[in-house]
Amino acid sequence: MKKVAILVFNNFTHDNRVLREGLSLKGAGYDVQIVALHEGDLPKKEIKNGLKVDRLSLISRGLPKSIFFQIFKWVELFILIAKRYRKTDYFHVCDVLPLPMAIWTKRLFNRSIKVIYDAHEMEFQKNTSSKRYGQLIAWLEDKHLRRADAIMTVTDPIAEAYKEHYNIEKPAVIHNFPFKQEVGSHNKFRERFPIRADQRILLYQGTISPNRGCEQLVEAFRHMPDHVVLVLLGYGPIWNKIKDLSAGMDNVFMHEAVGMNELLQYTSSADFGAYSVINTNPSHDYSLGNKVFEYLMAGLPVISTNLKGVRAFLKEDFTVFIDDINTDSLNKAIQHFDSLDRVKLEKDIKDFTDYANWDKEQQKLLNIYENA
Protein backbone atom coordinates (compact mmCIF):
# COMPACT_ATOMS: atom_id res chain seq x y z
CA MET A 1 0.00 0.00 0.00
CA LYS A 2 1.50 3.31 -1.09
CA LYS A 3 1.82 6.02 1.57
CA VAL A 4 0.69 9.63 1.20
CA ALA A 5 1.68 12.41 3.60
CA ILE A 6 -0.57 15.46 3.14
CA LEU A 7 1.27 18.53 4.45
CA VAL A 8 -0.90 21.43 5.68
CA PHE A 9 0.21 24.53 7.55
CA ASN A 10 -2.88 24.72 9.74
CA ASN A 11 -4.15 22.63 12.65
CA PHE A 12 -6.54 20.64 10.43
CA THR A 13 -9.78 21.23 12.25
CA HIS A 14 -11.95 22.64 9.42
CA ASP A 15 -10.02 22.13 6.18
CA ASN A 16 -12.72 20.51 4.06
CA ARG A 17 -10.74 20.38 0.80
CA VAL A 18 -7.90 18.47 2.46
CA LEU A 19 -10.37 16.20 4.23
CA ARG A 20 -12.09 15.32 0.94
CA GLU A 21 -8.78 14.69 -0.77
CA GLY A 22 -7.63 12.47 2.06
CA LEU A 23 -10.86 10.47 2.06
CA SER A 24 -10.68 9.98 -1.72
CA LEU A 25 -7.09 8.77 -1.59
CA LYS A 26 -7.83 6.46 1.30
CA GLY A 27 -10.85 5.09 -0.55
CA ALA A 28 -8.60 4.37 -3.55
CA GLY A 29 -6.30 2.25 -1.40
CA TYR A 30 -3.61 4.72 -0.31
CA ASP A 31 -2.31 4.88 3.27
CA VAL A 32 -3.03 8.54 4.07
CA GLN A 33 -1.46 10.61 6.85
CA ILE A 34 -2.44 14.25 7.46
CA VAL A 35 0.58 16.19 8.75
CA ALA A 36 -0.55 19.43 10.39
CA LEU A 37 0.55 21.90 13.09
CA HIS A 38 -0.21 21.43 16.76
CA GLU A 39 -2.01 24.19 18.61
CA GLY A 40 -3.55 24.61 22.05
CA ASP A 41 -5.17 21.53 23.54
CA LEU A 42 -5.74 19.71 20.25
CA PRO A 43 -4.55 16.09 20.28
CA LYS A 44 -1.14 15.61 18.68
CA LYS A 45 -2.34 12.38 17.11
CA GLU A 46 -5.90 11.36 16.31
CA ILE A 47 -8.15 9.66 13.80
CA LYS A 48 -10.40 12.30 12.21
CA ASN A 49 -13.16 11.11 9.88
CA GLY A 50 -11.17 7.92 9.42
CA LEU A 51 -7.92 9.71 8.55
CA LYS A 52 -4.74 9.63 10.63
CA VAL A 53 -3.67 13.08 11.80
CA ASP A 54 -0.20 13.94 13.12
CA ARG A 55 0.02 17.47 14.52
CA LEU A 56 3.64 18.52 14.86
CA SER A 57 4.59 20.45 17.99
CA LEU A 58 7.44 22.97 17.61
CA ILE A 59 9.84 23.94 20.39
CA SER A 60 10.40 27.19 18.49
CA ARG A 61 6.69 28.03 18.31
CA GLY A 62 6.96 30.73 20.96
CA LEU A 63 9.61 32.71 19.09
CA PRO A 64 8.64 36.10 17.58
CA LYS A 65 6.87 36.13 14.22
CA SER A 66 9.50 38.12 12.34
CA ILE A 67 10.98 36.54 9.22
CA PHE A 68 14.32 36.00 11.01
CA PHE A 69 12.76 33.79 13.70
CA GLN A 70 10.39 32.15 11.22
CA ILE A 71 13.47 30.60 9.64
CA PHE A 72 14.20 28.72 12.88
CA LYS A 73 10.63 27.43 12.96
CA TRP A 74 10.86 26.38 9.32
CA VAL A 75 14.11 24.47 9.92
CA GLU A 76 12.69 22.67 12.94
CA LEU A 77 9.57 21.70 10.99
CA PHE A 78 11.66 20.51 8.05
CA ILE A 79 13.70 18.26 10.35
CA LEU A 80 10.54 16.78 11.87
CA ILE A 81 8.93 16.11 8.49
CA ALA A 82 12.10 14.65 6.98
CA LYS A 83 12.66 12.42 10.01
CA ARG A 84 9.12 11.06 10.20
CA TYR A 85 8.04 10.97 6.55
CA ARG A 86 11.14 10.47 4.38
CA LYS A 87 9.90 6.96 3.59
CA THR A 88 6.54 8.10 2.25
CA ASP A 89 5.68 7.53 -1.41
CA TYR A 90 3.91 10.86 -1.96
CA PHE A 91 4.02 14.31 -0.43
CA HIS A 92 0.76 16.17 -1.11
CA VAL A 93 1.71 19.78 -0.39
CA CYS A 94 -1.13 22.21 0.43
CA ASP A 95 0.82 25.43 0.96
CA VAL A 96 3.95 27.19 -0.32
CA LEU A 97 5.87 26.92 2.93
CA PRO A 98 6.00 23.11 3.15
CA LEU A 99 6.81 22.84 -0.58
CA PRO A 100 10.59 23.32 -0.09
CA MET A 101 10.46 20.83 2.80
CA ALA A 102 8.95 18.20 0.55
CA ILE A 103 11.36 18.93 -2.32
CA TRP A 104 14.46 18.84 -0.09
CA THR A 105 13.34 15.72 1.75
CA LYS A 106 13.07 14.08 -1.65
CA ARG A 107 16.46 15.36 -2.85
CA LEU A 108 18.37 14.53 0.34
CA PHE A 109 16.73 11.36 1.65
CA ASN A 110 14.44 9.59 -0.84
CA ARG A 111 14.52 10.37 -4.56
CA SER A 112 11.57 8.07 -5.23
CA ILE A 113 9.09 10.36 -3.41
CA LYS A 114 6.52 11.99 -5.69
CA VAL A 115 5.67 15.59 -4.77
CA ILE A 116 2.14 16.82 -5.62
CA TYR A 117 1.80 20.59 -5.23
CA ASP A 118 -1.78 21.68 -4.51
CA ALA A 119 -2.00 25.49 -4.73
CA HIS A 120 -5.23 26.49 -2.98
CA GLU A 121 -4.96 30.05 -4.29
CA MET A 122 -2.68 32.19 -6.45
CA GLU A 123 0.13 32.01 -3.92
CA PHE A 124 2.52 34.37 -5.73
CA GLN A 125 -0.11 37.15 -5.65
CA LYS A 126 -1.94 36.68 -2.36
CA ASN A 127 -2.10 39.12 0.54
CA THR A 128 0.45 38.57 3.31
CA SER A 129 1.20 40.19 6.63
CA SER A 130 4.02 42.22 5.06
CA LYS A 131 5.43 43.02 1.63
CA ARG A 132 8.73 41.31 2.48
CA TYR A 133 6.95 38.16 3.62
CA GLY A 134 4.93 38.13 0.41
CA GLN A 135 8.13 38.42 -1.61
CA LEU A 136 9.57 35.48 0.34
CA ILE A 137 6.51 33.35 -0.41
CA ALA A 138 6.72 34.16 -4.12
CA TRP A 139 10.46 33.43 -4.16
CA LEU A 140 10.05 30.06 -2.43
CA GLU A 141 7.36 29.01 -4.88
CA ASP A 142 9.38 30.18 -7.88
CA LYS A 143 12.47 28.21 -6.77
CA HIS A 144 10.66 24.93 -5.97
CA LEU A 145 7.41 24.67 -7.96
CA ARG A 146 9.05 23.25 -11.11
CA ARG A 147 10.59 20.40 -9.11
CA ALA A 148 7.15 19.06 -8.18
CA ASP A 149 6.03 15.92 -10.00
CA ALA A 150 2.52 17.32 -10.50
CA ILE A 151 0.84 20.67 -9.90
CA MET A 152 -2.85 21.27 -9.29
CA THR A 153 -5.00 24.20 -8.26
CA VAL A 154 -8.62 25.15 -7.61
CA THR A 155 -9.89 27.18 -10.59
CA ASP A 156 -9.21 27.50 -14.29
CA PRO A 157 -8.26 31.22 -14.11
CA ILE A 158 -5.68 30.44 -11.39
CA ALA A 159 -4.32 27.55 -13.45
CA GLU A 160 -3.97 29.85 -16.46
CA ALA A 161 -2.21 32.44 -14.29
CA TYR A 162 0.29 29.84 -13.07
CA LYS A 163 0.93 28.71 -16.63
CA GLU A 164 1.65 32.25 -17.79
CA HIS A 165 3.57 33.45 -14.72
CA TYR A 166 5.94 30.48 -14.51
CA ASN A 167 5.93 29.45 -18.18
CA ILE A 168 4.90 25.90 -17.27
CA GLU A 169 2.33 23.43 -18.49
CA LYS A 170 -1.11 24.39 -17.24
CA PRO A 171 -1.74 22.81 -13.81
CA ALA A 172 -4.64 20.43 -13.35
CA VAL A 173 -7.80 21.96 -11.90
CA ILE A 174 -9.48 20.20 -8.97
CA HIS A 175 -12.49 22.28 -7.92
CA ASN A 176 -13.62 22.64 -4.33
CA PHE A 177 -16.84 20.73 -4.89
CA PRO A 178 -18.52 19.05 -1.90
CA PHE A 179 -19.67 15.43 -1.94
CA LYS A 180 -23.02 14.97 -3.63
CA GLN A 181 -25.67 14.93 -0.90
CA GLU A 182 -29.43 15.06 -0.52
CA VAL A 183 -29.40 17.66 2.21
CA GLY A 184 -33.09 18.17 2.89
CA SER A 185 -34.56 21.02 4.90
CA HIS A 186 -33.25 22.03 8.31
CA ASN A 187 -33.79 24.85 10.78
CA LYS A 188 -30.58 24.94 12.83
CA PHE A 189 -30.27 28.71 13.12
CA ARG A 190 -33.83 29.38 14.24
CA GLU A 191 -33.43 26.65 16.84
CA ARG A 192 -30.29 28.38 18.14
CA PHE A 193 -31.07 32.08 17.72
CA PRO A 194 -34.18 34.30 18.11
CA ILE A 195 -34.91 34.43 14.37
CA ARG A 196 -38.58 34.70 13.43
CA ALA A 197 -40.18 32.34 10.91
CA ASP A 198 -40.94 35.27 8.59
CA GLN A 199 -37.34 36.51 8.54
CA ARG A 200 -34.99 35.46 5.73
CA ILE A 201 -31.44 34.35 6.55
CA LEU A 202 -28.36 35.47 4.62
CA LEU A 203 -25.50 33.13 5.55
CA TYR A 204 -21.78 33.76 5.49
CA GLN A 205 -19.83 30.59 6.23
CA GLY A 206 -16.09 30.09 6.26
CA THR A 207 -13.06 31.79 7.71
CA ILE A 208 -13.76 34.96 9.69
CA SER A 209 -10.69 36.86 8.52
CA PRO A 210 -9.69 40.14 6.83
CA ASN A 211 -10.70 40.75 3.21
CA ARG A 212 -13.55 38.20 3.34
CA GLY A 213 -16.20 40.93 3.59
CA CYS A 214 -17.33 40.08 7.11
CA GLU A 215 -17.00 43.65 8.38
CA GLN A 216 -18.82 45.01 5.33
CA LEU A 217 -21.68 42.55 5.74
CA VAL A 218 -22.20 43.55 9.36
CA GLU A 219 -22.12 47.26 8.48
CA ALA A 220 -24.65 46.68 5.68
CA PHE A 221 -27.02 45.04 8.16
CA ARG A 222 -27.11 48.14 10.36
CA HIS A 223 -29.72 49.48 7.95
CA MET A 224 -31.17 46.26 6.54
CA PRO A 225 -34.98 45.91 6.63
CA ASP A 226 -36.33 43.77 9.45
CA HIS A 227 -37.27 40.83 7.22
CA VAL A 228 -33.63 39.74 6.68
CA VAL A 229 -30.98 38.66 9.20
CA LEU A 230 -27.29 37.77 8.83
CA VAL A 231 -25.65 34.65 10.25
CA LEU A 232 -21.86 34.25 10.23
CA LEU A 233 -20.82 30.61 10.61
CA GLY A 234 -17.13 29.85 11.03
CA TYR A 235 -13.97 30.75 12.89
CA GLY A 236 -10.90 32.90 12.38
CA PRO A 237 -8.60 35.70 13.51
CA ILE A 238 -11.16 38.55 13.51
CA TRP A 239 -13.96 36.62 15.25
CA ASN A 240 -13.81 38.91 18.30
CA LYS A 241 -13.64 42.02 16.10
CA ILE A 242 -16.81 40.98 14.28
CA LYS A 243 -18.44 40.09 17.59
CA ASP A 244 -17.69 43.57 18.92
CA LEU A 245 -18.78 45.21 15.67
CA SER A 246 -22.16 43.47 15.78
CA ALA A 247 -22.73 43.98 19.51
CA GLY A 248 -26.25 45.25 20.16
CA MET A 249 -27.51 44.36 16.68
CA ASP A 250 -30.56 42.08 16.77
CA ASN A 251 -30.24 41.04 13.12
CA VAL A 252 -26.66 39.67 13.15
CA PHE A 253 -25.78 36.32 14.72
CA MET A 254 -22.47 34.46 15.04
CA HIS A 255 -22.22 30.68 15.14
CA GLU A 256 -19.01 28.77 15.77
CA ALA A 257 -17.69 26.46 13.03
CA VAL A 258 -19.17 22.96 12.76
CA GLY A 259 -17.80 19.69 11.41
CA MET A 260 -17.90 18.71 7.75
CA ASN A 261 -20.39 15.91 8.41
CA GLU A 262 -23.04 18.32 9.67
CA LEU A 263 -22.07 21.51 7.83
CA LEU A 264 -24.65 21.30 5.04
CA GLN A 265 -27.46 20.79 7.54
CA TYR A 266 -26.58 24.25 8.86
CA THR A 267 -26.11 25.68 5.38
CA SER A 268 -29.56 24.49 4.31
CA SER A 269 -31.03 26.29 7.32
CA ALA A 270 -30.44 29.62 5.54
CA ASP A 271 -32.13 31.19 2.50
CA PHE A 272 -29.19 32.80 0.68
CA GLY A 273 -25.41 32.35 0.73
CA ALA A 274 -22.89 35.22 0.71
CA TYR A 275 -19.51 34.92 -0.99
CA SER A 276 -18.08 38.28 0.00
CA VAL A 277 -14.35 38.08 -0.70
CA ILE A 278 -12.94 41.58 -1.27
CA ASN A 279 -11.00 42.02 -4.50
CA THR A 280 -7.72 43.32 -3.08
CA ASN A 281 -5.37 41.29 -5.32
CA PRO A 282 -5.46 38.84 -8.26
CA SER A 283 -5.56 35.84 -5.92
CA HIS A 284 -8.84 37.10 -4.48
CA ASP A 285 -10.20 38.08 -7.90
CA TYR A 286 -9.65 34.54 -9.21
CA SER A 287 -10.91 32.80 -6.08
CA LEU A 288 -13.77 30.32 -5.98
CA GLY A 289 -13.94 28.91 -2.47
CA ASN A 290 -15.54 25.87 -0.84
CA LYS A 291 -18.44 27.86 0.49
CA VAL A 292 -19.86 28.72 -2.95
CA PHE A 293 -20.41 25.06 -3.79
CA GLU A 294 -21.58 24.22 -0.28
CA TYR A 295 -24.29 26.88 -0.59
CA LEU A 296 -25.45 25.42 -3.88
CA MET A 297 -25.33 21.80 -2.66
CA ALA A 298 -27.62 22.92 0.17
CA GLY A 299 -29.99 24.57 -2.34
CA LEU A 300 -29.10 28.19 -1.64
CA PRO A 301 -28.73 30.84 -4.37
CA VAL A 302 -25.54 32.89 -4.06
CA ILE A 303 -24.85 36.60 -3.63
CA SER A 304 -21.23 37.14 -4.67
CA THR A 305 -18.83 39.99 -5.02
CA ASN A 306 -17.94 40.58 -8.65
CA LEU A 307 -14.90 38.29 -8.96
CA LYS A 308 -13.48 36.76 -12.14
CA GLY A 309 -13.17 33.30 -10.58
CA VAL A 310 -16.83 33.19 -9.62
CA ARG A 311 -18.10 34.79 -12.84
CA ALA A 312 -16.14 32.29 -14.94
CA PHE A 313 -17.91 29.36 -13.34
CA LEU A 314 -21.27 30.19 -11.77
CA LYS A 315 -24.43 30.87 -13.73
CA GLU A 316 -26.49 34.01 -13.25
CA ASP A 317 -29.55 31.75 -13.02
CA PHE A 318 -28.73 31.30 -9.35
CA THR A 319 -26.06 33.94 -8.67
CA VAL A 320 -26.28 37.71 -8.23
CA PHE A 321 -23.01 39.63 -8.56
CA ILE A 322 -22.55 42.85 -6.62
CA ASP A 323 -19.80 45.45 -6.98
CA ASP A 324 -20.01 46.71 -3.39
CA ILE A 325 -21.26 45.13 -0.17
CA ASN A 326 -23.85 47.54 1.17
CA THR A 327 -27.46 47.61 2.26
CA ASP A 328 -28.80 48.58 -1.14
CA SER A 329 -26.91 45.94 -3.14
CA LEU A 330 -27.85 43.14 -0.76
CA ASN A 331 -31.49 44.25 -0.74
CA LYS A 332 -31.66 44.30 -4.53
CA ALA A 333 -30.05 40.86 -4.76
CA ILE A 334 -32.59 39.36 -2.37
CA GLN A 335 -35.46 41.06 -4.20
CA HIS A 336 -34.15 39.60 -7.46
CA PHE A 337 -34.19 36.07 -6.08
CA ASP A 338 -37.65 36.61 -4.64
CA SER A 339 -38.88 37.62 -8.09
CA LEU A 340 -37.73 34.35 -9.70
CA ASP A 341 -39.82 31.24 -10.19
CA ARG A 342 -38.87 29.19 -7.13
CA VAL A 343 -39.36 25.82 -8.82
CA LYS A 344 -37.09 26.80 -11.72
CA LEU A 345 -34.49 28.25 -9.35
CA GLU A 346 -34.35 25.01 -7.39
CA LYS A 347 -34.07 22.99 -10.60
CA ASP A 348 -31.25 25.19 -11.93
CA ILE A 349 -29.30 24.71 -8.72
CA LYS A 350 -29.88 20.95 -8.69
CA ASP A 351 -28.83 20.61 -12.33
CA PHE A 352 -25.60 22.41 -11.49
CA THR A 353 -24.79 20.27 -8.44
CA ASP A 354 -25.51 17.08 -10.39
CA TYR A 355 -22.19 17.59 -12.16
CA ALA A 356 -20.39 19.97 -9.76
CA ASN A 357 -19.76 17.50 -6.94
CA TRP A 358 -16.78 15.75 -5.41
CA ASP A 359 -18.04 12.27 -6.31
CA LYS A 360 -17.13 13.10 -9.92
CA GLU A 361 -14.30 15.58 -9.32
CA GLN A 362 -12.24 13.18 -7.20
CA GLN A 363 -11.40 11.05 -10.24
CA LYS A 364 -9.20 13.89 -11.52
CA LEU A 365 -7.24 13.73 -8.27
CA LEU A 366 -6.80 9.96 -8.52
CA ASN A 367 -5.64 10.31 -12.13
CA ILE A 368 -2.93 12.77 -11.04
CA TYR A 369 -1.60 10.24 -8.53
CA GLU A 370 -1.67 7.41 -11.04
CA ASN A 371 0.30 9.45 -13.60
CA ALA A 372 2.72 11.36 -11.31
Side-chain angles (χ1 to χ4, degrees), residues 95 130 283:
D95 194 355
S130 71
S283 182

Side-chain angles (χ1 to χ4, degrees), residues 202 213 216-217 220 224 273-279 302-307 310-311 316 319-334 336-337:
L202 175 64
Q216 290 86 345
L217 286 170
M224 190 66 70
Y275 188 69
S276 50
V277 172
I278 305 299
N279 185 5
V302 178
I303 301 172
S304 173
T305 42
N306 202 355
L307 305 172
V310 186
R311 271 204 174 275
E316 293 191 2
T319 313
V320 170
F321 296 97
I322 58 176
D323 292 319
D324 296 299
I325 303 171
N326 54 51
T327 305
D328 185 58
S329 65
L330 294 177
N331 243 329
K332 287 181 178 177
I334 291 170
H336 169 75
F337 286 131

Side-chain angles (χ1 to χ4, degrees), residues 118-160:
D118 184 3
H120 291 188
E121 53 185 303
M122 197 187 304
E123 298 289 349
F124 60 88
Q125 286 282 5
K126 72 178 184 179
N127 277 352
T128 57
S129 55
S130 71
K131 182 178 180 180
R132 183 176 297 178
Y133 186 64
Q135 291 171 339
L136 174 62
I137 292 294
W139 181 82
L140 286 173
E141 187 176 65
D142 180 53
K143 294 301 179 184
H144 296 91
L145 169 139
R146 295 174 186 84
R147 297 183 183 274
D149 296 280
I151 304 171
M152 51 191 270
T153 189
V154 295
T155 72
D156 195 70
I158 291 178
E160 290 287 354

